[in-house]
Amino acid sequence: SKSLGSNPRTGNWRCVYTLSGHSSWITSVAISSNGQTLASGSLDDTIKLWNLQTGELLQTLTGHSKAVNTLAISPSGQTLVSGSDDRTIKLWNIFNGNQLRTLTDHSRDVSSVAISADGQTLASGSEDRTIKLWKLTSGNLRGTLLSPAGMIKSVALSANGLILASGGLDHQIKVWSLETGKLIRTLTGHFNAVNSVAISPDSKIIASGSKDKTIKLWNLSTGELIRTLSDHSESVNSI
């Protein structure tokens, strides 16, 4: 809008609700595809589900024994996935809060989870330096991608179902084939840990946010660096 362009610091943004209830830092949020439900994960070991239209707290999910680091909601809006410092991934029924299953193959903190656009594949990244691929509906482990160079901080799946991107403490972004599980290329240029990766809806661009205070945009098919965004004055934690 015109006003947003004229004043990028405030624009037309206004606070609709402030959601209070966690007793420690909030580490992750996810919104269901229908825009009705917000899930939040916290260092208080819980997940809270909120009505996004009213700001009402719907329920608190307990079961993790340590901090919740990462959340993802399936495209159907039925399944919530959480990853924790307790080394587990938990799957929940988002409507009634029931715990569906616990996945226990990681040997260190689970730092990132992502769900494919078709709702079939769950990817998880861990401080154990592995990425694991699971069948979401059954919880069966489909395969493990080894990234010995560094702990994994973030994973993202392309909308076309072909690519997984990961970022971590080795300052690199790795691009993997979901079909073969093979490493396609490594993107280098950050000078510190890569905290967050995202893939554009058209599956053409990878964005990476780093502790080096920058965001980098990459051509997914060639690995070429498109540009670096450097207006942040501190670590970029989420994109």
Side-chain angles (χ1 to χ4, degrees):
S1 73
K2 195 171 184 180
S3 60
L4 185 62
S6 61
N7 188 356
R9 291 183 181 276
T10 56
N12 291 330
W13 295 98
R14 62 187 179 90
C15 180
V16 180
Y17 300 112
T18 298
L19 310 181
S20 302
H22 284 293
S23 60
S24 189
W25 297 1
I26 295 157
T27 56
S28 181
V29 293
I31 297 174
S32 61
S33 55
N34 64 8
Q36 298 297 307
T37 305
L38 170 74
S40 57
S42 169
L43 297 187
D44 66 13
D45 308 347
T46 73
I47 300 156
K48 292 184 182 290
L49 300 179
W50 313 79
N51 182 317
L52 199 55
Q53 307 307 309
T54 67
E56 174 193 6
L57 176 62
L58 301 174
Q59 54 189 321
T60 299
L61 309 183
T62 59
H64 283 297
S65 61
K66 291 185 178 180
V68 178
N69 296 319
T70 176
L71 298 172
I73 298 174
S74 64
S76 68
Q78 295 180 335
T79 304
L80 171 69
V81 178
S82 57
S84 169
D85 279 357
D86 67 13
R87 305 180 181 181
T88 73
I89 299 159
K90 290 185 182 290
L91 278 59
W92 314 78
N93 181 315
I94 204 168
F95 299 118
N96 58 28
N98 288 343
Q99 195 177 138
L100 302 173
R101 57 179 55 89
T102 299
L103 311 179
T104 58
D105 281 52
H106 281 296
S107 60
R108 293 283 299 273
D109 303 0
V110 179
S111 51
S112 182
V113 292
I115 299 172
S116 61
D118 63 7
Q120 297 298 305
T121 301
L122 166 66
S124 59
S126 169
E127 289 187 2
D128 66 11
R129 306 186 183 203
T130 71
I131 300 157
K132 293 187 182 291
L133 302 176
W134 316 79
K135 187 171 177 58
L136 183 65
T137 52
S138 65
N140 291 338
L141 182 63
R142 290 178 43 191
T144 300
L145 311 179
L146 299 176
S147 182
M151 297 177 180
I152 307 297
K153 292 285 288 180
S154 180
V155 293
L157 300 174
S158 64
N160 63 15
L162 300 177
I163 297 296
L164 182 147
S166 65
L169 297 192
D170 60 4
H171 309 176
Q172 300 175 344
I173 300 102
K174 293 184 184 296
V175 181
W176 309 81
S177 166
L178 274 175
E179 292 180 310
T180 66
K182 302 292 187 184
L183 180 64
I184 298 173
R185 64 176 51 89
T186 299
L187 311 180
T188 59
H190 281 296
F191 298 106
N192 211 323
V194 177
N195 292 326
S196 184
V197 290
I199 299 175
S200 61
D202 62 8
S203 301
K204 292 183 177 179
I205 295 173
I206 295 176
S208 56
S210 170
K211 196 175 179 181
D212 69 11
K213 309 177 185 179
T214 72
I215 299 160
K216 291 183 183 290
L217 304 179
W218 313 81
N219 182 310
L220 190 148
S221 61
T222 67
E224 176 191 4
L225 178 63
I226 299 170
R227 62 177 55 91
T228 299
L229 312 178
S230 53
D231 275 38
H232 281 293
S233 60
E234 264 301 337
S235 176
V236 180
N237 296 313
S238 181
I239 49 175

